[in-house]
Amino acid sequence: MNIGIVCYPTFGGSGVVATELGKALALKGHRVHFITYSQPVRLDFFNENLFYHEVYIPPYPLFQFPPYELALASKMVDIVQNEKLDVLHVHYAIPHASAAYMAKQILITKGIRVPVITTLHGTDITLVGKDASYEPVVTFSINQSDGVTAVSADLRKETYEYFAIEKDIEVIPNFINLDRFKKQDKSHFKAAIAPDGEKLLIHTSNFRSVKRVEDVVHIFDGVRKHVPAKLLLVGDGPDRPRIEKICRDLGLTSNDVRFLGKLEAVEEVLSVSDLFLMPSEKESFGLAALEAMSCEVPVISTNAGGIPELNEHGITGMVSNVGDVEDMVKNALFVLEDENLPRFKAAARAHAETFATDKIVPLYEACYQRAIDAQLTAV
Ligand code: GMT
């Protein structure tokens, strides 16, 4: 198939899933065209089946807000027409689904029909999409898509609850490259960072308020009162200055809490970690937790959104109500006990294996094929 993928190019989960999907499809022999405003961060290797098309918005003094959606729709028209795409797959509804609708209508006037698949990732529904400023456009463009997928059963349920959706939504969960995300021997790193055998707790996110990074710090502070421990924080974002202040107020030094920034090789740090913390207020799936589990790191999380579909309470980690830091400290101490940790680690990896790339990517291929076949029958 000749596939167009539209996504955000950043470290965010939807961009990562879209890019990993494109890479996996290219390895299976499909031609994959990425359409976005800059090179996706995970588009980091050469393959003859991978193409990247940058959306350029010419500056003009009248534009207070550059009209990205129009430039994106125009680029989609261009690429579908000239690269003869069979299907367009847009990740994150806003503004990609409505831009795809516009492109599709323009292409019809040129006698070209291309099916559009929209994948809902989370905040496009649970936070931003629900807002009255966007809701009518989000509802319309989901209903106009030829196929709709959501990354968890919970996200599908929320979408039906908050939007008047007439389409079937298929659940296709996030997936993981088990060869990349596996426990590696990084004992030199562990010895340097935890010289006295301290337990290493880790959190990775974009440091937005929905991630409740302040709870991460408070959980760590509770744990270290009972067990020698250190905290590794991977990622960056708007909440970082506030989190740094909380650390200082609690008397935590840079030796206790390390801000590692936007690391690309997160699997190397996960390889030396003992426990992953995800106290999110909302989380449609929790890709960061899946990456941790794949590296044999159990997860202490909330029960928000789709997280319990990934983190099985008492098996791969433990879940608590949002904001219940005390319970998360208790759970963390339980999982970290010497007699418990090995079985949690093994179960985390075993469960991650059920989300392997080769199990999930065929679900997307089947979804594309159904949309292409339906388009042909309709003509
Ligand atoms: O987590 C974020 O805020 C980024 C966001 C995104 O769309 O880029 O991630 C969402 O999509 C990921 C991939 O499908 C999911 O694993 C994350 O759970 C989801 N984040 C939220 O729902 C908050």
Side-chain angles (χ1 to χ4, degrees), residues 24 105 157 160 186 193 199 214 234 238 240 266 335 346 372:
Q105 294 308 310
K157 184 169 112 324
Y160 282 130
K186 295 282 165 192
I193 212 155
K199 295 290 185 214
E214 65 275 23
V234 181
R240 166 127 179 221
V266 63
V335 174
I372 294 168

Side-chain angles (χ1 to χ4, degrees), residues 2-5 31-35 49 51 53 79 83 85:
N2 218 358
I3 302 158
I5 290 188
R31 285 162 74 87
V32 179
H33 296 261
F34 284 94
I35 306 171
N49 291 329
F51 303 86
H53 308 274
I79 304 305
E83 300 291 345
L85 299 192

Side-chain angles (χ1 to χ4, degrees), residues 13-330:
S14 62
V16 169
V17 168
T19 313
E20 295 297 341
L21 173 62
K23 284 157 66 174
L25 289 166
L27 287 172
K28 293 183 87 173
H30 300 290
R31 285 162 74 87
V32 179
H33 296 261
F34 284 94
I35 306 171
T36 183
Y37 59 81
S38 72
Q39 175 93 9
V41 285
R42 289 258 181 114
L43 196 57
D44 49 4
F45 79 110
F46 172 77
N47 178 291
E48 69 275 20
N49 291 329
L50 283 175
F51 303 86
Y52 164 59
H53 308 274
E54 189 152 311
V55 179
Y56 174 67
I57 315 176
Y60 186 66
L62 203 59
F63 296 156
Q64 191 190 351
F65 306 105
Y68 178 64
E69 195 172 344
L70 302 188
L72 175 62
S74 298
K75 183 59 92 179
M76 285 193 231
V77 169
D78 173 23
I79 304 305
V80 170
Q81 196 171 7
N82 291 304
E83 300 291 345
K84 312 220 171 333
L85 299 192
D86 299 308
V87 63
L88 262 179
H89 186 182
V90 303
H91 291 258
Y92 207 89
I94 305 170
H96 301 149
S98 46
Y101 173 75
M102 202 187 310
K104 187 172 150 173
Q105 294 308 310
I106 295 168
L107 285 159
I108 287 174
T109 67
K110 296 169 183 281
I112 298 168
R113 293 190 175 266
V114 67
V116 172
I117 309 297
T118 298
T119 289
L120 311 172
H121 279 274
T123 49
D124 46 351
I125 295 300
T126 56
L127 284 180
V128 201
K130 272 181 196 168
D131 192 289
S133 321
Y134 299 111
E135 182 278 321
V137 175
V138 173
T139 304
F140 177 80
S141 46
I142 291 176
N143 280 328
Q144 292 299 321
S145 299
D146 299 277
V148 185
T149 79
V151 298
S152 64
D154 185 79
L155 183 60
R156 175 175 61 183
K157 184 169 112 324
E158 275 219 41
T159 309
Y160 282 130
E161 267 168 28
Y162 288 99
F163 301 85
I165 300 301
E166 296 144 11
K167 290 267 162 190
D168 281 343
I169 301 178
E170 182 184 359
V171 175
I172 304 186
N174 289 175
F175 54 90
I176 190 82
N177 177 342
L178 296 169
D179 293 328
R180 172 174 171 185
F181 287 91
K182 64 178 177 210
K183 194 173 178 66
Q184 306 168 8
D185 181 13
K186 295 282 165 192
S187 36
H188 57 289
F189 179 47
K190 181 133 196 174
I193 212 155
D196 299 318
E198 294 93 337
K199 295 290 185 214
L200 285 180
L201 278 55
I202 185 167
H203 169 80
T204 75
S205 79
N206 50 16
F207 284 58
R208 295 188 185 274
S209 60
V210 71
K211 303 293 178 184
R212 297 185 66 100
V213 187
E214 65 275 23
D215 286 0
V216 170
V217 176
H218 288 297
I219 296 165
F220 168 67
D221 193 44
V223 167
R224 71 193 282 271
K225 293 193 168 108
H226 302 270
V227 173
K230 302 215 174 201
L231 176 64
L232 305 174
L233 293 173
V234 181
D236 213 329
D239 274 359
R240 166 127 179 221
R242 198 165 60 80
I243 300 306
E244 284 175 337
K245 180 168 184 319
I246 293 173
C247 289
R248 278 185 225 116
D249 291 349
L250 289 169
L252 300 170
T253 67
S254 55
N255 199 31
D256 303 312
V257 181
R258 285 186 182 238
F259 288 84
L260 299 174
K262 293 180 180 175
L263 276 187
E264 286 222 15
V266 63
E267 65 276 17
E268 294 183 3
V269 192
L270 288 168
S271 290
V272 297
S273 300
D274 297 294
L275 198 58
F276 187 84
L277 304 179
M278 180 175 263
S280 301
E281 182 164 346
K282 285 201 173 291
E283 200 70 60
S284 63
F285 181 86
L287 179 62
L290 176 57
E291 291 179 345
M293 287 163 57
S294 191
C295 295
E296 300 177 33
V297 185
V299 175
I300 293 298
S301 70
T302 57
N303 52 13
I307 301 179
E309 294 169 48
L310 172 68
N311 186 20
E312 298 183 307
H313 186 71
I315 298 171
T316 62
M318 298 184 89
V319 301
S320 307
N321 291 329
V322 174
D324 195 344
V325 168
E326 207 180 304
D327 195 52
M328 286 185 261
V329 171
K330 195 181 82 204

